[in-house]
Amino acid sequence: MTNLPYQAREGDVIKLEEPLVYGPDTALVEMPISWTLDDFPVFEYMRLQNFIQPGLMNASLVGENWLADFAYMRDHYDWGILTYTFHPHVIGRGHRMIMLEKLIEKLRGGEAVFLTMEQAVAEYRTKFPSGRSERGR
């Protein structure tokens, strides 16, 4: 699990059976995201010809998962970003809104800091003024 932003690179060279050659970092900061922190896959049922996305998960259990990801980050990292993704038509159901309100209360009680993406990028640039390379991780 990575909760640290990173800078996009330009010009990586990937060839079969040869080591990856990283290009230089760009100014673009990429924020960490994960499907596990997105409401759509866990709540929305979708049936396609060759695929079923079950969705319809128990909102309280999903909230517990999302809170546990925060607790892990808080306990194992000096600093990091969790990017929850909420779609109004998905999270906006009554029982899901109740779960979201409880999640926010617990995050506040667990010392979470809520930032806009712009504020998070500014904090990243303060903490990593020379960038943060993917190399060596």
Side-chain angles (χ1 to χ4, degrees), residues 36-48:
T36 64
L37 300 174
D38 188 307
D39 63 352
F40 192 89
V42 293
F43 290 137
E44 288 301 305
Y45 174 85
M46 235 175 34
R47 184 179 180 143
L48 304 173

Side-chain angles (χ1 to χ4, degrees), residues 6 11 20 27 31 36 67-68 87 91 103 127 135:
Y6 54 91
L20 171 67
M31 304 307 281
T36 64
L67 186 61
H87 303 83
I91 201 69
L103 174 67
K127 292 184 180 301
R135 299 169 201 67

Side-chain angles (χ1 to χ4, degrees), residues 18-79:
E18 291 185 23
L20 171 67
V21 178
Y22 293 108
D25 288 346
T26 68
L28 177 66
V29 176
E30 295 194 9
M31 304 307 281
I33 62 166
S34 172
W35 280 106
T36 64
L37 300 174
D38 188 307
D39 63 352
F40 192 89
V42 293
F43 290 137
E44 288 301 305
Y45 174 85
M46 235 175 34
R47 184 179 180 143
L48 304 173
Q49 183 175 358
N50 296 315
F51 173 76
I52 294 177
Q53 178 176 299
L56 308 177
M57 300 294 291
N58 179 302
S60 295
L61 295 177
V62 171
E64 286 180 30
N65 286 347
W66 290 344
L67 186 61
D69 278 341
F70 167 75
Y72 183 89
M73 182 185 72
R74 181 197 59 215
D75 296 343
H76 291 88
Y77 289 83
D78 292 332
W79 180 82

Side-chain angles (χ1 to χ4, degrees), residues 6-16 18-26 30 132-135 137:
Y6 54 91
Q7 287 176 244
R9 293 186 309 266
E10 182 175 53
D12 288 359
V13 178
I14 301 171
K15 294 182 180 177
L16 290 178
E18 291 185 23
L20 171 67
V21 178
Y22 293 108
D25 288 346
T26 68
E30 295 194 9
R132 197 179 139 268
S133 175
E134 291 284 329
R135 299 169 201 67
R137 283 196 280 146

